[in-house]
Amino acid sequence: FFSSVNSITRRTLFFNTPTMVRTLLAIASMVATIGTSTAFQNLLPNFSFSPPKPSTSSGAIDLEDQLLAAIESNGANKRLDNSDEVSSLVMQLEATQSIPRPAIAPEVYGRWRLLQTTNADTASPIQRKAVDTTKFDIFQDIVFAENDPESLLVRQIVKFSETNELCVDALASTSAYPLEELTDRERTGKILGLNVLGVSLVGDEAEEDVDRPDSRVRFVFDEGRFDFGGFTIPYPVPFRNPLFRDAVKGWIDITYLSDRIRISRGNKGTTFILKKED
């Protein structure tokens, strides 16, 4: 286009001042129109700024390494013990900067291997078996339901072998995927003063930490099943019975999250240390 204009200018406009002025004004108008068009703007580089992804500091990585080493050195038969070294490292990691708003961060989704459970005394006998990694590999999946991509699940899996497992699904709720049913739990869970289903924090003791926004995942156990190589048996706990519905509600507060390690504290005072599976 500009080559043609240059040719015309050399042959005609140079000697015709009024025509030259009108042509230059027309060219200026065209350039102004093109410059404000969407097509022209799309040709320009995009200089929009995206905030950097939070990274784990070298100090936190070193603490993670120490924590993994401490759990390993304790031995597989002490994965329910309250180790002072492990507890100290957990508190140090919780005091460091980690991924913000962890309950809705992309890094939280997927499969996590349970490494260590502390303060398990307040859990029920059934729950202690479900988090006892001394005998079986235990995983916790934070995933979406296969038939509903907007339905969040917390899935507990106890692997007895490569083909045999127990899988317990809990409906989950966060600020990103709220579930109306998941109101605050009302009762501690004691039955006639006995710890049958575990003792939960309720009321003021169960308030969220305002300094850790979007760190809580609420859940209610919904169904479970044993899977023996494709042959399934329902888990014999009536999770959906209205009489038990409040007792099977709970929550976890994610107090530390990185690409590798997640630390969570549950409504029954239990601390969970998990490692992300590849």
Side-chain angles (χ1 to χ4, degrees):
F1 172 79
F2 289 102
S3 176
S4 300
V5 171
N6 290 335
S7 176
I8 294 171
T9 302
R10 287 195 301 269
R11 289 187 286 115
T12 306
L13 300 183
F14 182 79
F15 301 101
N16 191 337
T17 302
T19 303
M20 180 178 67
V21 171
R22 287 195 298 270
T23 303
L24 291 175
L25 289 174
I27 293 171
S29 177
M30 290 172 61
V31 171
T33 301
I34 294 172
T36 57
S37 68
T38 302
F40 182 81
Q41 292 176 6
N42 288 339
L43 296 176
L44 297 176
N46 184 2
F47 294 106
S48 60
F49 175 76
S50 297
K53 178 182 176 182
S55 58
T56 306
S57 67
S58 58
I61 293 174
D62 182 58
L63 287 172
E64 287 183 5
D65 291 339
Q66 292 181 52
L67 177 61
L68 294 174
I71 293 172
E72 183 67 25
S73 66
N74 280 344
N77 61 335
K78 294 183 178 180
R79 296 295 169 88
L80 287 176
D81 288 2
N82 294 332
S83 162
D84 290 339
E85 182 182 10
V86 169
S87 297
S88 174
L89 289 167
V90 163
M91 288 187 291
Q92 290 179 65
L93 278 170
E94 289 176 329
T96 65
Q97 183 178 3
S98 66
I99 294 173
R101 301 184 182 275
I104 60 174
E107 292 82 358
V108 78
Y109 302 110
R111 169 159 291 192
W112 296 82
R113 178 187 291 269
L114 182 63
L115 300 180
Q116 178 93 11
T117 307
T118 62
N119 302 322
D121 294 339
T122 56
S124 68
I126 296 174
Q127 183 185 357
R128 283 197 291 273
K129 290 296 182 183
V131 298
D132 186 356
T133 58
T134 61
K135 298 178 177 65
F136 306 110
D137 290 333
I138 298 177
F139 302 93
Q140 187 179 85
D141 296 349
I142 301 181
V143 295
F144 297 93
E146 291 81 358
N147 59 350
D148 185 359
E150 295 296 314
S151 180
L152 188 63
L153 299 177
V154 175
R155 176 173 290 158
Q156 195 84 354
I157 299 172
V158 182
K159 297 284 289 186
F160 306 122
S161 68
E162 285 296 319
T163 58
N164 302 329
E165 66 182 30
L166 166 64
C167 178
V168 180
D169 283 350
L171 305 178
S173 179
T174 65
S175 64
Y177 297 94
L179 184 63
E180 184 177 354
E181 176 189 354
L182 275 171
T183 56
D184 290 336
R185 181 167 171 158
E186 298 178 358
R187 295 182 293 276
T188 64
K190 282 188 175 182
I191 300 176
L192 300 177
L194 301 176
N195 178 15
V196 178
L197 297 174
V199 182
S200 176
L201 300 173
V202 294
D204 293 341
E205 291 183 317
E207 290 292 327
E208 294 184 60
D209 186 347
V210 295
D211 295 327
R212 297 181 184 271
D214 283 322
S215 63
R216 178 165 293 187
V217 180
R218 291 180 170 84
F219 61 85
V220 57
F221 287 109
D222 193 59
E223 63 178 352
R225 60 195 175 277
F226 291 96
D227 188 334
F228 299 105
F231 176 71
T232 60
I233 300 175
Y235 190 59
V237 176
F239 292 129
R240 298 177 181 175
N241 188 310
L243 295 176
F244 292 96
R245 203 58 173 168
D246 185 71
V248 296
K249 288 181 180 178
W251 43 260
I252 52 173
D253 283 336
I254 302 173
T255 54
Y256 178 83
L257 177 67
S258 72
D259 291 331
R260 181 171 62 155
I261 296 293
R262 172 162 63 91
I263 299 172
S264 302
R265 294 183 181 267
N267 60 295
K268 296 176 182 177
T270 310
T271 302
F272 305 97
I273 304 166
L274 306 100
K275 186 175 184 292
K276 190 72 173 283
E277 288 286 283
D278 295 331

